[in-house]
Amino acid sequence: MKPDITIIVSSYDGAEDTWEPFFKLFSTYWPDCHYPIILVTETKRFSYPGLPMQCFNTGIMKGGPTAWGRRMIKSLDAIKSGTVLYLQDDFFLTSAVDEKLIEEFAGYMAERSWTHESTMHIGLCPRSSHGPFHLTEYPLLWEVDRQARYRFSLLPGLWNRKELLKQIKPCDTAWDFEEKSHWRARRTTNRILTVNRHIFRPEGRLIYPFDPGGGIVRGKWDRGSVVDLFKQHGIIVDFSRRGFTDEALLHPPMPLPFGTRVRNAIHWHGMRLINRLNKSVDHFRS
């Protein structure tokens, strides 16, 4: 029996220029995907022929875009699958997905067939977690040490949906979520696993093959990751809308007006205070 998986592609309205290339490459390298695909956006909608996908609109908060944490909580609450495959809109596939292994790993998460402990997360990318690692009963997977920094990441991975919901805070950015993984995950008794680095390597065998450097870096296209790939597949993108990371280095942005810098500083310090309060509450509960 096929495992109960929903694929979540995290995005937002401002990243709509990634959707066409992402899903064209997805349909090319995972053409027989029969799992439901949820594209998380704010208000905009998108579909791609032949893919079992739909958009989930989270809306926009008053005063600005909805935080990544709120978007994820809303979308995870709306689906029923026990397991989710988390992806982001710039994880552009470069070769075929190993669907068989994804299903095998998801089956272990659901059935606990080789361990008596529940598994919260399996990172599918060989750069998804930092060590140290420990061998497990299953040779394709290692366990991430409970004291490891960055115990989990937002690179491609399988998640127990309910456990993922417990880890996310509404005000989280994606960076916050990864940065705080080392202490948030200490509260759980669930296992956090990752692929065996001796078997799965960036230059060798991969389950979800993509450039881990990211198709987009700090809002700019990474030239080495996307230009040749898109050209090979006949994908036309207006790169001038974002520009490239190397151009940003040659032409640094003009300084922001004083008033804007003050508002940004107030916002940043406010978010920092909220995160510290959340951390204190989490520490008290644990």
Side-chain angles (χ1 to χ4, degrees), residues 205-262:
R205 183 181 179 186
L206 294 171
I207 298 173
Y208 185 93
F210 79 114
D211 187 333
I216 295 175
V217 179
R218 296 185 179 181
K220 305 290 184 181
W221 292 106
D222 179 65
R223 191 185 299 272
S225 301
V226 299
V227 172
D228 290 342
L229 178 65
F230 289 4
K231 184 178 180 180
Q232 176 187 347
H233 293 86
I235 298 171
I236 299 174
V237 171
D238 180 8
F239 291 119
S240 66
R241 175 182 168 183
R242 291 180 178 270
F244 292 103
T245 53
D246 50 6
E247 294 172 343
L249 294 174
L250 293 173
H251 305 286
M254 295 292 291
L256 293 172
F258 176 75
T260 302
R261 282 182 281 147
V262 170

Side-chain angles (χ1 to χ4, degrees), residues 186-204:
R186 292 178 186 175
R187 299 175 303 170
T188 180
T189 59
N190 293 310
R191 283 179 131 182
I192 297 174
L193 306 177
T194 186
V195 291
N196 183 330
R197 303 296 200 268
H198 295 158
I199 299 173
F200 302 96
R201 302 184 303 276
E203 66 280 4

Side-chain angles (χ1 to χ4, degrees), residues 39-276:
L39 173 63
V40 180
T41 67
E42 292 158 319
T43 62
K44 296 182 179 179
R45 307 195 69 79
F46 179 82
S47 62
Y48 195 88
L51 289 179
M53 64 171 294
Q54 59 179 305
C55 280
F56 182 80
N57 294 144
T58 61
I60 297 179
M61 291 184 64
K62 183 178 180 181
T66 305
W68 174 87
R70 291 187 186 276
R71 294 199 305 271
M72 287 305 303
I73 289 171
K74 284 186 176 183
S75 57
L76 290 169
D77 274 334
I79 64 175
K80 304 301 180 184
S81 296
T83 305
V84 298
L85 170 58
Y86 178 88
L87 304 172
Q88 293 185 169
D89 51 29
D90 65 338
F91 292 173
F92 302 117
L93 281 168
T94 56
S95 58
V97 172
D98 193 335
E99 180 180 22
K100 182 178 178 181
L101 268 187
I102 290 176
E103 292 178 347
E104 189 173 322
F105 291 170
Y108 287 131
M109 289 182 69
E111 300 172 14
R112 294 186 289 182
S113 58
W114 53 275
T115 175
H116 297 296
E117 296 178 283
S118 297
T119 298
M120 178 174 73
H121 173 57
I122 298 179
L124 301 178
C125 176
R127 299 182 181 178
S128 61
S129 300
H130 293 189
F133 303 111
H134 306 289
L135 299 178
T136 70
E137 303 89 334
Y138 186 51
L140 295 183
L141 295 172
W142 290 347
E143 182 168 5
V144 183
D145 189 270
R146 292 187 179 275
Q147 302 302 315
R149 184 166 177 78
Y150 297 105
R151 288 194 68 198
F152 44 71
S153 77
L154 293 176
L155 291 171
L158 293 166
W159 289 87
N160 177 299
R161 182 183 64 86
K162 291 182 179 179
E163 293 300 323
L164 176 56
L165 269 169
K166 293 178 183 178
Q167 298 295 324
I168 301 174
K169 306 301 179 186
C171 60
D172 275 349
T173 64
W175 181 87
D176 290 332
F177 179 77
E178 292 184 317
E179 178 68 19
K180 297 170 183 175
S181 66
H182 62 289
W183 58 265
R184 283 189 187 174
R186 292 178 186 175
R187 299 175 303 170
T188 180
T189 59
N190 293 310
R191 283 179 131 182
I192 297 174
L193 306 177
T194 186
V195 291
N196 183 330
R197 303 296 200 268
H198 295 158
I199 299 173
F200 302 96
R201 302 184 303 276
E203 66 280 4
R205 183 181 179 186
L206 294 171
I207 298 173
Y208 185 93
F210 79 114
D211 187 333
I216 295 175
V217 179
R218 296 185 179 181
K220 305 290 184 181
W221 292 106
D222 179 65
R223 191 185 299 272
S225 301
V226 299
V227 172
D228 290 342
L229 178 65
F230 289 4
K231 184 178 180 180
Q232 176 187 347
H233 293 86
I235 298 171
I236 299 174
V237 171
D238 180 8
F239 291 119
S240 66
R241 175 182 168 183
R242 291 180 178 270
F244 292 103
T245 53
D246 50 6
E247 294 172 343
L249 294 174
L250 293 173
H251 305 286
M254 295 292 291
L256 293 172
F258 176 75
T260 302
R261 282 182 281 147
V262 170
R263 287 192 296 271
N264 288 348
I266 293 172
H267 174 77
W268 184 83
H269 285 295
M271 293 299 294
R272 188 178 180 185
L273 176 60
I274 291 172
N275 288 331
R276 284 182 174 178

